Amino acid sequence: MTDSFVNSAEASQMQVIERTLDNGLTVCLIPKADFQQTFAMFATKYGSIDNEFELDGKPVRVPDGIAHFLEHKMFEDDEQEVFSQFAEHGASVNAFTTFDETAYYFSGTSDLRENIDTLLNFVQKIYLTDENVEKEKGIIAQEIRMGDDNPDRRVFMDLLSAMYAAHPVRIDIAGSVESIYQIDRETLLKCYHTFYHPSNMMLVIAGGFDPLQVMAWVTENQARKHFPDPVEIKRIYPVEPKEPKTDASTTVLPVSLSRCLIGWKDTVDGLAKGELLRRELLTGLVLDALFGKTTAFYGELLRDGLIDKAFSWEYELTDQYGYTVVGGNAPRPAELVDRVKTHVRDAVNRGIADEDFERARKKAIGRFLMSLDQVSYVARSYLTYRLRDADFLQTIEVLQSLQLEDANKRLKEHLSEEQMVVSTVLPKTEAAS
């Protein structure tokens, strides 16, 4: 096993103890003195976009939604109900699947060892039968249908479907009703044994505990188990064009208020290792300077009734895909799109003002420092960035290094009209008029 001690980001005064165990599992402990709560997250670098990979030298294509389906099945145990095991020791447990990871986590204030053991044990054991797989299909199918009728989820997925022509990020994380009915026990086991090997997983624990003691508990738990030797996972992704698939998508649903999202497709070609955090933070400063709630533009849109306080921006970046999303509830979506296009065009021509850039930087630093008191945020952020080969504890250092010149260059490169896509969900009455 290997050990490393990280004292990163002096402004945060946070320590991380990291160890790679003999079976390949990476364990990251973030002790927080005087904290009662502990938050633990056990995750695999396996998400919905990993629907094609190589196994025994041959390409394997699995049904869409299988990572999410597998997450559901992990909570089924033939001996004891998982939720009850955590509840008996004063903890709550849950899980989620994203485009590029699946994570299982608990939060608690007592019986830490028992809860860590339960987390590791239930994720590292799978109980599948043909019967319980078939039963789950109906449950997930209902979840998918509900998502299709949810205007906020629908407008977002329509945006990605318009933005991406080939990459599986355009496919809903849960898959489709048709795809999940193609899933069987054998395929689930194939994915589990490929992606749930300890060498493809990470355990992050943050909170009030003795890190040496906790590391000993985790090491002992893993030493009791046998895993096959790790194999290199070769993921297969299609070639994605630089340009969006189409520039607009409109859907009609039985809703009372329109939704409108405006997105810009980013290119990840040439994204150097170690550059992800810098680009993400730089893009965030640009977006906050243009669309943040303290900007004059936000106030004007609110005053004119084009948005409500749910209006927001988001930027997502991995080594496989990247995109910006701006929008929310929109009583007059076409007018909102015109205003945003004009605002971005003007910003590109005149540049971001120095005072707006510095305000966005100070806000970002302040948000980061405040978030360090939330152990759930610390654990999840550290884990997600670490799976993407980035260190989120370098946030302040990177933010302080960014320059106005960098922001204006990024603005011109990323927020071009050629890369812009609009997704709208309209009420039936409005679409008919």
Side-chain angles (χ1 to χ4, degrees):
M1 64 183 66
T2 58
D3 286 285
S4 64
F5 179 81
V6 182
N7 188 351
S8 185
E10 289 183 2
S12 69
Q13 296 181 346
M14 184 175 295
Q15 296 176 339
V16 179
I17 298 171
E18 185 170 313
R19 173 178 292 182
T20 302
L21 303 185
D22 291 339
N23 62 13
L25 176 64
T26 299
V27 182
C28 306
L29 304 181
I30 309 174
K32 303 277 287 181
D34 302 324
F35 273 65
Q36 295 298 314
Q37 184 188 32
T38 296
F39 186 92
M41 182 169 282
F42 192 26
T44 171
K45 190 175 182 179
Y46 173 52
S48 64
I49 66 171
D50 300 311
N51 57 13
E52 191 169 2
F53 53 95
E54 197 172 288
L55 196 62
D56 298 326
K58 298 179 181 179
V60 175
R61 177 65 164 88
V62 296
D64 297 328
I66 197 164
H68 173 258
F69 197 112
L70 195 53
E71 175 220 311
H72 274 234
K73 297 314 300 171
M74 294 308 302
F75 284 92
E76 194 148 349
D77 193 306
D78 58 336
E79 296 177 357
Q80 186 175 355
E81 210 272 336
V82 172
F83 291 96
S84 297
Q85 288 180 274
F86 282 100
E88 287 173 7
H89 295 285
S92 58
V93 63
N94 214 328
F96 62 82
T97 304
T98 69
F99 292 124
D100 63 343
E101 72 177 273
T102 307
Y104 305 84
Y105 60 91
F106 76 80
S107 175
T109 58
S110 62
D111 296 346
L112 182 57
R113 182 172 190 174
E114 289 81 359
N115 289 321
I116 290 173
D117 277 340
T118 301
L119 178 66
L120 293 170
N121 292 342
F122 96 82
V123 176
Q124 291 183 321
K125 172 189 174 185
I126 188 165
Y127 173 66
L128 291 176
T129 66
D130 292 333
E131 292 74 19
N132 68 25
V133 170
E134 286 302 312
K135 179 181 177 182
E136 198 67 39
K137 292 178 182 179
I139 297 171
I140 296 180
Q142 180 63 23
E143 179 183 329
I144 292 171
R145 293 187 184 100
M146 291 174 63
D148 288 343
D149 293 334
N150 182 302
D152 298 312
R153 179 165 172 169
R154 187 67 178 271
V155 73
F156 174 68
M157 288 311 306
D158 284 355
L159 182 78
L160 294 186
S161 294
M163 195 177 282
Y164 288 89
H167 196 280
V169 73
R170 68 189 305 273
I171 301 168
D172 195 290
I173 290 169
S176 65
V177 173
E178 293 75 20
S179 71
I180 63 162
Y181 274 98
Q182 299 170 12
I183 294 172
D184 57 25
R185 178 178 178 273
E186 180 182 354
T187 309
L188 286 166
L189 287 172
K190 186 181 297 182
C191 292
Y192 177 78
H193 291 303
T194 299
F195 293 101
Y196 278 69
H197 190 280
S199 61
N200 192 53
M201 301 191 72
M202 180 174 293
L203 174 68
V204 177
I205 307 175
F209 54 79
D210 177 349
L212 297 180
Q213 185 179 58
V214 169
M215 187 68 79
W217 293 342
V218 174
T219 303
E220 181 182 333
N221 176 285
Q222 294 299 282
R224 294 195 299 264
K225 303 171 183 176
H226 173 73
F227 298 93
D229 293 336
V231 296
E232 181 184 0
I233 298 173
K234 295 182 179 179
R235 296 165 170 86
I236 301 173
Y237 299 113
V239 176
E240 175 65 36
K242 178 182 177 181
E243 301 77 16
K245 177 185 176 184
T246 184
D247 62 359
S249 171
T250 301
T251 297
V252 177
L253 289 177
V255 295
S256 59
L257 183 61
S258 300
R259 269 69 163 181
C260 180
L261 294 181
I262 304 158
W264 288 266
K265 185 178 183 179
D266 203 1
T267 177
V268 296
D269 293 341
L271 182 66
K273 188 172 183 178
E275 175 67 15
L276 186 145
L277 182 65
R278 183 183 184 279
R279 183 189 287 192
E280 183 176 297
L281 294 174
L282 178 61
T283 307
L285 295 186
V286 170
L287 296 173
D288 199 57
L290 266 60
F291 304 111
K293 295 185 186 299
T294 59
T295 63
F297 182 66
Y298 174 87
E300 292 165 5
L301 295 180
L302 202 60
R303 179 200 64 201
D304 296 342
L306 294 177
I307 63 169
D308 59 20
K309 292 183 179 180
F311 180 88
S312 63
W313 61 263
E314 174 191 353
Y315 178 67
E316 181 76 7
L317 178 66
T318 73
D319 63 353
Q320 281 296 313
Y321 57 85
Y323 54 82
T324 283
V325 180
V326 173
N329 298 327
R332 304 192 301 278
E335 190 175 341
L336 174 63
V337 172
D338 287 342
R339 291 278 287 272
V340 168
K341 288 175 69 173
T342 300
H343 180 57
V344 171
R345 193 179 301 127
D346 290 345
V348 168
N349 291 332
R350 70 172 183 271
I352 298 171
D354 183 67
E355 58 269 27
D356 294 334
F357 176 74
E358 291 301 331
R359 185 185 306 113
R361 190 209 307 269
K362 289 177 181 177
K363 284 173 59 180
I365 292 174
R367 284 195 301 266
F368 175 77
L369 290 175
M370 289 180 63
S371 71
L372 297 182
D373 287 334
Q374 303 171 36
V375 291
S376 59
Y377 174 86
V378 169
R380 178 170 181 177
S381 298
Y382 187 88
L383 186 147
T384 297
Y385 279 104
R386 184 70 172 71
L387 289 178
R388 296 175 180 177
D389 292 322
D391 181 3
F392 112 109
L393 293 182
Q394 293 180 350
T395 293
I396 291 179
E397 179 184 343
V398 173
L399 284 170
Q400 291 174 336
S401 72
L402 299 175
Q403 303 296 319
L404 178 61
E405 179 183 354
D406 301 326
N408 282 315
K409 181 181 179 182
R410 179 66 179 144
L411 166 62
K412 293 178 181 179
E413 289 176 348
H414 180 41
L415 300 189
S416 66
E417 292 190 17
E418 292 77 13
Q419 297 301 107
M420 195 178 93
V421 177
V422 176
S423 175
T424 309
V425 167
L426 297 176
K428 287 184 176 180
T429 52
E430 186 174 327
S433 60

